[in-house]
Amino acid sequence: MTQDEKIRLLKLLYQYRAMGFEYFKEYRPVQEANLSVLPNTLEELKEAMLNCHLCQLAKTRKKVVFGEGNAHAKILFIGEGPGASEDDTGRPFVGRAGELLTKMIENVLELSREDVYIANVVKCRPPENRVPTHEEVSSCKPYLMQQIRAISPKIIVALGSTAFHHLTGEYDTPITKIRGEVFEFEKAKLIPTYHPSYLLRNPSAKKEVYLDMLKIKRML
Ligand code: URA
């Protein structure tokens, strides 16, 4: 910023103070990945994501967690965002919640992790595992949509309310109300169910997720 620009900015701030302003939030437009210019293949998309700095999560992440699995999977699981183990390894669902998800895939669906695809709404870890903000999700969502189009799954399983809300825009619908229901989404069937981390805290809810998994198995 030149000296002239600094003086003009300072004058403007004095004017605002004279008008009674003490504080106003900085206006920062959300930067979104541009869906129309994103690559179509998963490999190229991953390459683009590894260099993404569109939101503040880029500053604190160790690794971008793009997602992994069968590029032509019939089932795509979508979680909320990477935790500590995922941030360390660059792989989705590898911590305790991931172990539970893997067991459900293997024991109920009778598939392996390599048969399905696993991804998240945001690809970088939110600090302290907080829920990602709307801005962070908005920046990242075009990548997710392109990922969904590239995989073109038959069934998308939204793991938890963050995934369901941000995929559908149904922010006011609690997951408890619609868990296990089938929705049309892009060219797939979308089924919301409880997040594995929720199941670790509330083991009694495992029965409902078991029923959802059986339903998914029948739909394959
Ligand atoms: N929780 C998520 O939502 N995603 C992961 O990858 C791990 C834990």
Side-chain angles (χ1 to χ4, degrees):
M1 204 186 266
T2 64
Q3 196 60 20
D4 242 26
E5 285 168 333
K6 279 184 197 165
I7 291 167
R8 261 187 282 140
L9 181 61
L10 206 58
K11 276 189 185 165
L12 192 65
L13 289 173
Y14 279 126
Q15 270 174 9
Y16 280 131
R17 194 162 69 183
M19 286 160 75
F21 285 101
E22 287 186 346
Y23 169 81
F24 49 89
K25 203 164 181 282
E26 181 193 2
Y27 171 66
R28 288 177 66 219
V30 174
Q31 285 186 282
E32 286 179 16
N34 184 347
L35 193 52
S36 60
V37 299
L38 285 178
N40 296 321
T41 68
L42 287 178
E43 298 77 37
E44 287 171 319
L45 196 59
K46 182 173 180 180
E47 202 55 41
M49 283 226 70
L50 294 181
N51 297 309
C52 180
H53 288 85
L54 286 178
C55 83
Q56 57 188 348
L57 298 182
K59 291 184 198 154
T60 48
R61 73 174 177 226
K62 289 187 194 154
K63 291 216 165 117
V64 174
V65 182
F66 178 71
E68 66 181 24
N70 180 344
H72 306 290
K74 283 192 182 163
I75 309 182
L76 167 61
F77 288 91
I78 302 180
E80 180 175 295
S85 316
E86 291 76 20
D87 190 38
D88 282 340
T89 58
R91 296 182 57 212
F93 280 97
V94 289
R96 281 183 66 224
E99 276 172 28
L100 185 55
L101 177 64
T102 307
K103 271 193 199 154
M104 294 191 298
I105 294 168
E106 290 174 354
N107 300 344
V108 190
L109 297 179
E110 296 183 279
L111 295 170
S112 74
R113 262 179 81 109
E114 291 72 39
D115 293 323
V116 303
Y117 203 94
I118 305 176
N120 280 301
V121 170
V122 292
K123 315 297 191 204
C124 300
R125 183 190 182 197
E128 270 105 55
N129 297 341
R130 63 162 170 73
V131 176
T133 64
H134 276 260
E135 284 81 6
E136 289 156 1
V137 175
S138 301
S139 299
C140 217
K141 196 165 167 194
Y143 290 119
L144 176 64
M145 295 310 294
Q146 197 74 328
Q147 214 170 9
I148 292 173
R149 280 170 206 168
I151 299 163
S152 191
K154 189 170 175 192
I155 298 169
I156 297 174
V157 186
L159 295 168
S161 50
T162 302
F164 175 72
H165 289 157
H166 287 292
L167 283 168
T168 61
E170 303 263 346
Y171 296 102
D172 296 329
T173 312
I175 186 123
T176 43
K177 271 224 169 121
I178 41 73
R179 188 225 93 240
E181 281 183 28
V182 181
F183 298 80
E184 299 292 328
F185 185 84
E186 293 273 302
K187 291 180 186 152
K189 304 284 181 208
L190 173 78
I191 304 186
T193 194
Y194 295 138
H195 193 285
S197 301
Y198 174 79
L199 298 182
L200 291 173
R201 297 190 303 272
N202 302 277
S204 62
K206 280 185 189 170
K207 190 168 160 250
E208 284 150 300
V209 175
Y210 174 69
L211 296 176
D212 297 343
M213 290 291 163
L214 288 181
K215 186 178 208 170
I216 291 165
K217 194 175 177 193
R218 286 195 299 273
M219 285 167 61
L220 278 176

